[in-house]
Amino acid sequence: MRDARVLLNAKALTHNLHRVREYAPHSHVLAMVKADAYGHGLAFALSALQDADALGVAFFQEARDIRALGNTQPIVVIEGAFSLEEWIESSKIGTQCAIHQERQLEWALQHIIPNATIWLKVNTGMNRLGLTPEQTITAAEQLRAAGYQLILTTHFANADEPDHPINQQQIDTFLTLKAQLEPIQVSMCNSAAIMQWPELHLDWVRPGIMLYGSSPFADHTAQQLNLQPVMSLKTRLIAMHQIAAGVTVGYGARYTTTRPTHLGVVAMGYGDGYPRVVDHAQVSINGQLIPIIGRISMDMLTVDLTDLSTSPNLDDEVVMWGGEISVDQIAAAAGTIGYELFTRLSMRPVRYITQ
Ligand SMILES: Cc1ncc(COP(=O)(O)O)c(C=O)c1O
């Protein structure tokens, strides 16, 4: 049987949540579990995140999925309701909604949910979602008059680049607005911001990627940040060949051997979610890193086994990421970020939960 698999380590997830608590000991933690817990599987992630103060999803169906699992933790829907019906439903399944645009404000005033908490989102420079600061002040007055509890929130565009000037602009805009709306609960920080700006932790932090053990920074590894990879992607060696120098390998004949080569075929491809575009990536076999050569195909890829110090055998385990190779290294080789590799995994690799 093909043995491509995703191993999910609950202890690592708990450890990373603990790291969030170490960074932000005085803040509530909104653990982001949108996109099927960043591709890790919602049911698995929820069982390890029971100590989080709330769970963050992008839209309503994701909140319904959490409730369908019997979970009763508070849920925050960061894109808020998409319709009046969803807004009304939020009172039934007990979610807290963001309000980031005027029509959501209208729904909240039209159908008042007594004492509900609203995450009032201000656009401070990301220019994606959020009311302007002026709109936010008016909205806050109206929502307070209607009896709502408010949490003022914004999202950084460049928290992973600490020196980017837009960060300070966003911070200034947000803190000015906070002062105008006092007393009010507030939330600014995603993972990158949590790890570098303790003074901005405020009432709520919103970690995502760090929970899953991937680094948001290009210049700091997850290991340096003492984050543990939650996911490992593994498979096995399914064929080996001795081929001559000057021979091409795989689709497009893109790789030509420069020496007699011991070629290995690995049961993993872009149909599993391993990116086809990786350039100069490695896998780990028997604890040793070896290069991928040739194009990634849908179900397989090829590696150069020649320099392995222990002779490989068919069915040897091949680590694609997790453990010796971080997802961030593979993401960099694919010109993307760990977030995308996690969420693009297909359902082909079989999921196993480890302790
Ligand atoms: C509003 C909001 N807060 C927090 C996060 C978590 O970000 P990260 O995964 O970088 O920690 C996200 C993720 O995209 C988000 O959209």
Side-chain angles (χ1 to χ4, degrees), residues 265-324:
V265 183
V266 172
M268 176 68 54
Y270 62 80
D272 299 287
Y274 193 87
R276 181 174 179 273
V277 293
V278 291
D279 200 12
H280 292 101
Q282 295 174 310
V283 301
S284 170
I285 298 185
N286 299 332
Q288 213 177 315
L289 300 185
I290 54 158
I292 296 175
I293 55 175
R295 278 229 164 108
I296 312 290
S297 5
M298 188 184 289
D299 320 308
M300 289 170 276
L301 53 82
T302 39
V303 294
D304 184 350
L305 300 167
T306 317
D307 293 331
L308 269 185
S309 53
T310 52
S311 62
N313 295 303
L314 284 180
D315 294 335
D316 273 358
E317 184 171 272
V318 183
V319 181
M320 310 304 298
W321 69 62
E324 312 85 294

Side-chain angles (χ1 to χ4, degrees), residues 32 34 38 78 121 128 155 190-191 206-209 339:
M32 301 306 291
K34 61 191 176 128
Y38 285 47
I78 61 171
K121 182 152 190 167
R128 192 176 60 178
H155 193 48
N190 61 354
S191 299
R206 307 187 310 270
I209 199 70
Y339 302 68

Side-chain angles (χ1 to χ4, degrees), residues 71-341:
N71 184 295
T72 55
Q73 284 167 273
I75 301 175
V76 181
V77 182
I78 61 171
E79 291 175 13
F82 285 28
S83 63
L84 176 62
E85 291 68 36
E86 277 193 353
W87 170 256
I88 294 170
E89 189 185 341
S90 78
S91 62
K92 298 190 181 128
I93 66 169
T95 55
Q96 301 172 13
C97 283
I99 287 187
H100 61 78
Q101 58 170 301
E102 294 282 352
R103 68 175 184 163
Q104 292 174 327
L105 177 63
E106 283 160 24
W107 297 330
L109 297 174
Q110 189 181 334
H111 181 96
I112 293 174
I113 305 174
N115 277 321
T117 298
I118 285 173
W119 289 62
L120 190 56
K121 182 152 190 167
V122 55
N123 173 20
T124 54
M126 171 85 162
N127 292 320
R128 192 176 60 178
L129 294 184
L131 300 169
T132 65
E134 298 71 31
Q135 288 173 322
T136 306
I137 289 177
T138 313
E141 278 165 13
Q142 292 171 311
L143 292 168
R144 278 174 165 161
Y148 289 109
Q149 311 297 317
L150 299 184
I151 298 175
L152 181 68
T153 186
T154 197
H155 193 48
F156 283 109
N158 282 320
D160 54 328
E161 287 178 62
D163 298 328
H164 197 288
I166 200 174
N167 290 321
Q168 197 54 50
Q169 177 204 309
Q170 289 195 263
I171 293 166
D172 292 345
T173 306
F174 189 77
L175 295 182
T176 304
L177 193 58
K178 171 180 181 308
Q180 288 170 300
L181 293 175
E182 291 287 16
I184 191 162
Q185 285 200 47
V186 282
S187 171
M188 292 196 87
C189 291
N190 61 354
S191 299
I194 289 167
M195 290 189 272
Q196 64 183 317
W197 294 314
E199 68 281 13
L200 298 179
H201 289 158
L202 306 171
D203 299 293
W204 284 86
V205 291
R206 307 187 310 270
I209 199 70
M210 70 182 288
L211 290 173
Y212 304 100
S214 158
S215 170
F217 303 112
D219 55 356
H220 286 88
T221 64
Q223 201 177 10
Q224 287 166 339
L225 300 167
N226 186 9
L227 299 172
Q228 294 177 2
V230 175
M231 178 194 291
S232 305
L233 181 63
K234 295 184 177 177
T235 185
R236 295 195 186 272
L237 203 52
I238 57 167
M240 293 189 287
H241 312 284
Q242 291 290 348
I243 55 174
V247 170
T248 63
V249 177
Y251 282 125
R254 285 229 319 181
Y255 181 85
T256 306
T257 53
T258 55
R259 58 180 178 174
T261 298
H262 191 192
L263 184 90
V265 183
V266 172
M268 176 68 54
Y270 62 80
D272 299 287
Y274 193 87
R276 181 174 179 273
V277 293
V278 291
D279 200 12
H280 292 101
Q282 295 174 310
V283 301
S284 170
I285 298 185
N286 299 332
Q288 213 177 315
L289 300 185
I290 54 158
I292 296 175
I293 55 175
R295 278 229 164 108
I296 312 290
S297 5
M298 188 184 289
D299 320 308
M300 289 170 276
L301 53 82
T302 39
V303 294
D304 184 350
L305 300 167
T306 317
D307 293 331
L308 269 185
S309 53
T310 52
S311 62
N313 295 303
L314 284 180
D315 294 335
D316 273 358
E317 184 171 272
V318 183
V319 181
M320 310 304 298
W321 69 62
E324 312 85 294
I325 300 186
S326 75
V327 70
D328 300 319
Q329 284 170 282
I330 304 302
T336 184
I337 48 179
Y339 302 68
E340 188 181 359
L341 298 196

